[in-house]
Amino acid sequence: MQTLWLSGAEWLAVLRIGLGLWWLESWRHKDKKGWFERGTGIAWAADVAGKHKWPAVKRGFDAVVAPRPKVMAYVVVYAELALGMGLVAGFLTPIALAAGLLLNLLYLVLMIHDWAEQGQNAMMALISAVALFAMSWQTWSLDHAIGWFGA
């Protein structure tokens, strides 16, 4: 597909890179000291999960996150960094897109009551799905340069 300025594959790469920059901004604006030293991020998520209208969310949080809050804080924060870097560079792109889609769906479920968060997570999930199924790593990516995840 050809457009006025870029090819279809190049526009998909722009979409992928833009999503990566969105993840990097999510990582950049986090108060890492609060997340790692004071546990603010996980404490906030525990409060949200505790009041969630779906009991399964609280049970899942209590089973997976609550027993290991420090580890989970690092997982969340550095997952966002890894996703951003992977998508911008186009490195392990299908894995980053699938992981980002799953993380956005988890955020979407956790924040089911917050429409502002819903919009952001829904858009990021949609971009991840489009970029994944359209194989956006075929242009402007390390994956393509290395010959991984063939076209």
Side-chain angles (χ1 to χ4, degrees):
M1 173 173 86
Q2 188 64 38
T3 64
L4 291 176
W5 185 37
L6 300 174
S7 71
E10 290 167 337
W11 279 116
L12 286 167
V14 168
L15 193 65
R16 181 199 80 230
I17 292 165
L19 179 62
L21 293 172
W22 200 342
W23 278 116
L24 288 174
E25 174 56 20
S26 181
W27 173 80
R28 186 199 64 78
H29 84 263
K30 277 194 175 22
D31 173 13
K32 279 99 172 154
K33 191 171 187 172
W35 272 75
F36 301 146
E37 294 176 17
R38 297 186 309 276
T40 56
I42 299 301
W44 168 81
D47 183 56
V48 172
K51 298 174 186 172
H52 205 280
K53 61 182 173 182
W54 298 342
V57 172
K58 181 179 179 353
R59 286 193 308 271
F61 187 92
D62 289 344
V64 176
V65 180
R68 49 193 78 76
K70 194 155 193 92
V71 169
M72 293 310 290
Y74 280 93
V75 167
V76 169
V77 171
Y78 286 107
E80 291 181 359
L81 175 62
L83 289 168
M85 290 174 31
L87 293 174
V88 168
F91 183 67
L92 300 175
T93 312
I95 296 164
L97 289 167
L101 178 59
L102 289 173
L103 190 56
N104 278 124
L105 292 176
L106 283 170
Y107 289 171
L108 196 72
V109 168
L110 182 63
M111 297 302 299
I112 198 80
H113 67 282
D114 185 336
W115 284 103
E117 284 290 325
Q118 290 288 48
Q120 173 178 313
N121 289 303
M123 286 289 90
M124 290 177 83
L126 176 61
I127 294 168
S128 293
V130 168
L132 178 62
F133 293 116
M135 297 173 38
S136 66
W137 54 89
Q138 295 177 75
T139 301
W140 302 339
S141 74
L142 291 174
D143 291 335
H144 179 72
I146 296 168
W148 288 355
F149 312 110

